[in-house]
């Protein structure tokens, strides 16, 4: 069968939100043909060996397994990151935090901390854009620490990854910018039973009855880890911005503001430690 016929059939079988994209990514994984080249040469013949590997991937996708887990990688910012089931699959919306962080008035040699780094996505994106920044990342999950380190190594980016539950095990120091994409979904949220999140660890997703447990802790403790005038920026749920801004104000932050994700939801909040 041709590449196009197989992709079209697979897309019909996969269903869900982005069946055609999923099928093209799986085809690329199996054949090495980029999505552009699949479109340019739709009649290209797929060998029997490629076909059986493709069918196996499609079957996994039909069973709900995230495309990123099947591929073992996910693109984030300009990077291709290794992913696995020890941590969250990086989301495009988290790129909005990276963009906002790059727009902050920070020194060329800023010290930056990415808490709960997971794959290392935020830390690595920042390190790739700002070679002068000293970027530290931490995660409580041993599998995530190993994964973030592997990503830093294979991308050749100088990010130091430490094992720590939030600030707990970090050596005392002060940062110019602290970022976090912590778990922020409420226990029992119905979305946890749908889609890719079913295959991600609860520890990376769920934070108490209102989803704010980890955000509360991070916002309360961040001031002692920030240099005067330093910034804190956190990702949160689409309906949590007002609550998070109140937590920032309560912890003494100034210039508190929220920013939107690609879908127009208030997705992150930042504030500055007063000078
Ligand atoms: N934005 C993610 C989701 O809704 C959740 C990420 C997180 O908890 N940090 O699937």
């Amino acid at each position: 069968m041709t590449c196009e016929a197989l992709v079209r059939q697979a897309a019909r079988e996969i269903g869900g939100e982005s069946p055609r994209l999923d099928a093209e990514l799986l085809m690329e994984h199996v054949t090495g043909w980029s999505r552009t080249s699949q479109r340019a040469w739709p009649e290209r013949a797929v060998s029997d060996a490629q076909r059986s590997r493709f069918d196996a991937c499609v079957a996994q996708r039909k069973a709900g397994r995230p495309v990123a887990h099947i591929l073992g990688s996910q693109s984030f910012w300009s990077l291709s990151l290794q992913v696995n089931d020890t941590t969250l699959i990086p989301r495009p919306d988290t790129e909005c935090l990276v963009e906002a962080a790059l727009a902050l008035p920070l020194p060329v040699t800023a010290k930056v901390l990415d808490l709960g780094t997971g794959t290392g996505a935020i830390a690595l994106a920042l390190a790739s854009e700002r070679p002068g920044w000293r970027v530290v990342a931490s995660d409580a999950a041993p599998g995530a620490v190993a994964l973030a380190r592997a990503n830093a190594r294979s991308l050749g980016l100088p990010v130091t990854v430490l094992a720590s539950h939030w600030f707990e095990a970090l050596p005392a120091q002060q940062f110019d910018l602290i970022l976090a994409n912590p778990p922020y979904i409420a226990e029992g949220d119905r979305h946890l039973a749908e889609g890719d999140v079913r295959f991600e660890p609860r520890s990376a997703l769920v934070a108490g009855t209102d989803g704010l447990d980890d955000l509360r802790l991070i916002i309360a403790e961040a001031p002692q880890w920030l240099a005067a005038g330093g910034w804190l920026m956190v990702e949160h749920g689409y309906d949590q911005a007002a609550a998070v801004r109140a937590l920032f104000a309560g912890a003494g932050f100034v210039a508190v503001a929220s920013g939107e994700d690609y879908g127009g939801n208030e997705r992150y909040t930042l504030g500055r430690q007063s000078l």
Side-chain angles (χ1 to χ4, degrees), residues 82-114:
Q82 299 172 55
V83 300
N84 60 36
D85 59 11
T86 64
T87 191
L88 201 76
I89 300 164
R91 310 284 201 266
D93 288 321
T94 302
E95 294 172 352
C96 299
L97 274 82
V98 172
E99 211 173 318
L102 293 172
L104 290 173
L106 287 167
V108 186
T109 57
K111 275 189 75 176
V112 178
L113 171 64
D114 175 19

Side-chain angles (χ1 to χ4, degrees), residues 17 48-49 92 119 122 172 184 206 214 217 257 275:
E17 275 175 30
D48 289 346
T119 57
I122 294 175
Y184 53 70
V206 176
D214 291 293
L217 185 148
L275 284 160

Side-chain angles (χ1 to χ4, degrees), residues 88 91 181-185 197 204-205 235 267:
L88 201 76
R91 310 284 201 266
N181 175 16
Y184 53 70
I185 299 176
V197 292
L205 295 165
E235 180 170 325
R267 179 61 62 187

Side-chain angles (χ1 to χ4, degrees), residues 20 78 143 179 186 209 231-232 248 268:
R20 172 85 202 190
S78 63
L179 307 101
T209 49
W231 298 83
L232 173 66
F248 269 69
Y268 65 90

Side-chain angles (χ1 to χ4, degrees), residues 2-5 7-8 11 18-25 27-28 31 33-44:
T2 65
C3 171
E4 171 61 22
V7 164
R8 198 178 302 156
S18 54
R20 172 85 202 190
L21 173 64
D22 292 1
E24 288 178 0
L25 288 170
M27 181 59 78
E28 177 175 353
T31 60
W33 303 333
S34 70
R35 295 176 51 222
T36 320
S37 101
Q38 292 173 40
R39 300 266 175 141
W41 292 285
E43 304 304 324
R44 193 148 47 176

Side-chain angles (χ1 to χ4, degrees), residues 74-160:
Q74 167 74 38
S75 49
F76 180 83
W77 200 249
S78 63
L79 311 172
S80 174
L81 299 173
Q82 299 172 55
V83 300
N84 60 36
D85 59 11
T86 64
T87 191
L88 201 76
I89 300 164
R91 310 284 201 266
D93 288 321
T94 302
E95 294 172 352
C96 299
L97 274 82
V98 172
E99 211 173 318
L102 293 172
L104 290 173
L106 287 167
V108 186
T109 57
K111 275 189 75 176
V112 178
L113 171 64
D114 175 19
L115 289 171
T117 194
T119 57
I122 294 175
L124 293 166
L126 294 176
S128 76
E129 295 290 335
R130 294 286 184 270
W133 286 8
R134 288 161 293 165
V135 184
V136 176
S138 73
D139 206 287
V145 171
L147 185 62
R149 282 182 183 152
N151 277 320
R153 202 176 316 119
S154 65
L155 294 166
L157 292 169
V159 169
T160 305

